[in-house]
Amino acid sequence: MDSVQILPQPSELSPSAFAFLNAKFHTKDSVAEASSLVLELKTQCYDLDQALVELNRRLGAGLVAYSSFSGQIHDLLGDVNAKLTAFTSTCSSSIISDEHSGQKNFRKELPALAKEVARLEAVRVYAEMALKLDSLVGDIEDAVSYTMNKNLRKHSSSQNLEEMRRLAIKTLETTEEVLTTITRTHPQWKHLVSAVDHRVDRSLAVLRPQAIADHRALLASLGWPPPLSSLTSDSRSVNEVSNPLLSMQADLKLKYSENFFALCSLQELQRQRKARQLEGHDLKVAQHQPLWAIEELVNPISLASQQHFSKWVNKPEFIFTLAYKISRDYVGSMDELLQPLVDEAKLIGYSCREEWISAMVTSLSTYLAKEIFPVYISQLEEETATSSLSSARISWLHLIDLMISFDKRIKALVEQSGILLSFEEDGILQKISSFSVFCDRPDWLDLWAEIELNDAIGKLKSVTDEEKNWRKQIEGVVLSSCMDDYKSPLVSNAFLRHLASLIDRCRSLPTVTLRSRFLKSAAVPILRIFFDYLLNRCQEAEGLTALTDDDALIKVAISINAAHYLESVLREWSEDVFFLEMGMDQDDKVELSINSDRDNGRLSESPQISIFDEDIKKLEEFRKEWVEKICVVILRGFDARLRDYVRNRRQWLDSEDGWTISKTLIEALDYLQGKMSVVEKGLNCRDFVGVWRSLAAGIDRLIFTGILLSNVKFHGGGVERFGNDLGVLFGVFGAWCLRPEGFFPKTSEGLKLLKMEENKMQECLAGGKNWLRENGIRHLSVAEAEKIVKSRVFTS
């Protein structure tokens, strides 16, 4: 009876012991297992005692090292005190014996002594900082060793492991703060910083993989990734999706949150370390890396989804549908559960919604690049070899359509959080765009552009071959906000619609460089093809009739209208920010080439502002050239019919034939009016203004040089007839302006001189240039005015 030990009362036990016994002996049958439990407890106690002995040994070694180092510092400080004492006694004796000599020695020894004191002070500060860092790094290594020790991990609770991990991370943060301070205040201590970084890196190389491994194990225990069959097809029933992150119990939720927070803290710590280590090297640090904890969520679900993707190589719409559903159905938990933890870890610039979506899109893009695009490339190569260019290209364009639709839905999903994306944020757009596959494969981009170009050319050929599409003008909605009527044919609108479609399709490309490259390969060649059509039609009309036929004039006018409309639309598009960014990107590249050329001793051409600049310039030159040709043809015909009028010198005498105007002028004006009517009907209003103004200038030169400067003698009746003739000529042009005589400056001013009285003309001959200006004659030289005045004949 004496050997029997009486158990203490429950009230005398500690809460932890009471809970332990209650858990182990909850039934009567459990008492039989007490011996095995005692043996297990003894084993654990022995392991803990051994661990404690090892820790005491390391602590003793650390204290011995600290004591030795402290002794060295004490000896150094004692040496400083001895030198200061000796210096004081030396100064006192020197002052007493020889005041002048003492001051001289004092001045010599003071700088050296001050330097020595500063050196010793620096050594003391360095030693204290080294000891502090050694203590911090030791704590880190101890915590890491604890978390990695298999025996301790086996017998320790997960709570203790998390506490040790938090302690290690907190100590790492403190160490990083100290290293940052040293880097800024004592940059010469780079060897100390490097040594500490080396030891910290070794600890991080152990701590981060272990934290990620624990995180993966925790996710697996939670049932992640969820079965993909649980995804609902109803976008309004997102809450019905099986989401382990939202269905966790309180204890698991706390455990997951702590583990997630630890990963975020480690990532922020590493970001700070990289920023410190690369500071001052003029390098753009990749501060924003994918969130590790989100990657651990995406990787397993991505692997699971790819098992389904492999079955749908020829049905890519299923791939994009599944990828979008996964991204959408779990994005709510990112905002509700994980974003607060990221904010608590002070990870600046991270959105869990954006990180989740970008990681899913990156996974999809990687799969497209490795599995889907190579299959489509091989199909294109096979069809090229067999000269069957249809189904593979259709499949390719269908894949592009699916990618465009997917990116639009993904972008809308990101913007639901209030983040508005713009073209300036190429980094964000690249992360959430499936078109990022083209970033590393520009040859695929060129192939896509070629397919789009050939598809557009095939569709446009049937439009351009129909003559009615050239004759019929655009009506209703057009692709430009300009209200001017360019009388453009339907074919020009067809080209612009295909061009606008290509521009709209390339908006999904994530970088300005890719967009510019695509448009230069697919869109710009369409403009060149359209320009060739216009030029060929004009040259054909000119070659057949030399533009003397009305149909030929109309054909050229239609081409000019199409060119002017296309030019105006391109100018308007070039002012959009979409194209302005391409111009800025081009400017940066040209600036680099200019700097390189200057280094090589030569200059480069000025940079382009828009990718359409060259084509706009060609269209403008085309318009001017063919407008001028129309003017030359009409003016040549008018001149041929005006020759009899110019040669008839007798009509300027006083003889009267019953006509108030010259009969020979009527035929020429009738020809002019007929041609101008045809041109006015067929040509747009802006270019028509250029035509009649150019004709007015040409006719002004013809009449002025052919009559007024040809030594003709004007009598009173001849001046009156000449004025009537010009009045009829001005009347023809009066349909298009209010003061037509202003567009015949030399002829109008010559008539004005002829109508002057004789005494006025004498003043003109004597007054010279000043007199001409005072009397409103500004377009004639003195010699021309004198010649006209001398051609006037006055009879008494």
Side-chain angles (χ1 to χ4, degrees), residues 141 192-203 273 277:
E141 292 172 343
L192 173 63
V193 174
S194 176
V196 174
D197 275 339
H198 179 67
R199 292 178 64 182
V200 170
D201 287 338
R202 287 191 301 178
S203 297
R273 285 172 57 78
Q277 291 168 354

Side-chain angles (χ1 to χ4, degrees), residues 248-287:
M248 288 186 294
Q249 299 298 324
D251 54 342
L252 285 177
K253 186 175 182 180
L254 177 61
K255 188 176 180 180
Y256 177 78
S257 299
E258 290 178 347
N259 198 280
F260 186 94
F261 180 80
L263 277 183
C264 292
S265 299
L266 279 175
Q267 185 165 2
E268 173 61 15
L269 176 67
Q270 179 161 311
R271 186 198 67 80
Q272 293 176 0
R273 285 172 57 78
K274 289 295 182 183
R276 169 179 58 80
Q277 291 168 354
L278 296 177
E279 184 178 3
H281 290 275
D282 196 23
L283 297 175
K284 192 172 183 180
V285 185
Q287 298 281 355

Side-chain angles (χ1 to χ4, degrees), residues 735-752:
W736 309 304
C737 60
L738 295 176
R739 293 184 64 255
E741 61 273 11
F743 296 95
F744 299 84
K746 287 183 174 290
T747 304
S748 299
E749 292 180 358
L751 178 62
K752 185 177 181 180

Side-chain angles (χ1 to χ4, degrees), residues 39-215:
L39 182 62
E40 181 181 353
L41 290 176
K42 287 182 177 180
T43 302
Q44 292 183 12
C45 290
Y46 177 77
D47 291 338
L48 290 175
D49 289 338
Q50 293 299 317
L52 183 61
V53 170
E54 176 63 19
L55 290 175
N56 286 329
R57 187 190 64 78
R58 293 184 60 185
L59 178 62
L63 291 174
V64 170
Y66 176 79
S67 176
S68 174
F69 201 79
S70 177
Q72 295 177 11
I73 297 299
H74 184 270
D75 293 341
L76 290 173
L77 293 177
D79 186 37
V80 171
N81 288 330
K83 289 186 176 181
L84 288 175
T85 303
F87 170 73
T88 303
S89 60
T90 301
C91 289
S92 299
S93 59
S94 298
I95 291 173
I96 295 173
S97 60
D98 190 349
E99 181 179 356
H100 178 72
S101 176
Q103 290 178 354
K104 187 174 182 180
N105 292 334
F106 178 80
R107 290 173 182 173
K108 288 182 179 180
E109 295 180 6
L110 184 58
L113 183 60
K115 184 177 180 180
E116 183 67 14
V117 170
R119 186 184 70 81
L120 293 174
E121 176 63 17
V123 169
R124 184 188 65 80
V125 174
Y126 182 89
E128 290 180 355
M129 191 62 69
L131 286 173
K132 181 178 181 180
L133 287 172
D134 182 68
S135 176
L136 289 172
V137 175
D139 292 342
I140 296 171
E141 292 172 343
D142 290 342
V144 171
S145 299
Y146 182 87
T147 59
M148 288 301 297
N149 189 294
K150 294 182 179 180
N151 291 326
L152 292 180
R153 289 178 63 87
K154 180 179 178 180
H155 301 296
S156 297
S157 65
S158 59
Q159 182 177 0
N160 291 336
L161 292 175
E162 287 298 330
E163 289 178 356
M164 292 303 296
R165 182 175 292 143
R166 283 199 300 270
L167 176 61
I169 293 174
K170 185 176 181 180
T171 310
L172 281 167
E173 292 172 349
T174 304
T175 304
E176 182 59 28
E177 292 176 0
V178 174
L179 291 177
T180 302
T181 303
I182 291 176
T183 303
R184 293 175 180 175
T185 58
H186 301 285
Q188 69 276 16
W189 295 355
K190 55 185 179 181
H191 294 296
L192 173 63
V193 174
S194 176
V196 174
D197 275 339
H198 179 67
R199 292 178 64 182
V200 170
D201 287 338
R202 287 191 301 178
S203 297
L204 285 174
V206 174
L207 187 62
R208 177 191 170 187
Q210 185 59 50
I212 291 177
D214 291 345
H215 190 76

Side-chain angles (χ1 to χ4, degrees), residues 749-778:
E749 292 180 358
L751 178 62
K752 185 177 181 180
L753 284 175
L754 291 175
K755 288 183 176 182
M756 287 183 179
E757 298 178 357
E758 185 175 2
N759 59 343
K760 275 278 191 180
M761 289 188 174
Q762 296 301 323
E763 293 177 5
C764 173
L765 295 174
K769 191 173 183 179
N770 291 333
W771 187 91
L772 292 176
R773 289 183 178 179
E774 291 173 1
N775 287 271
I777 309 298
R778 294 182 175 85

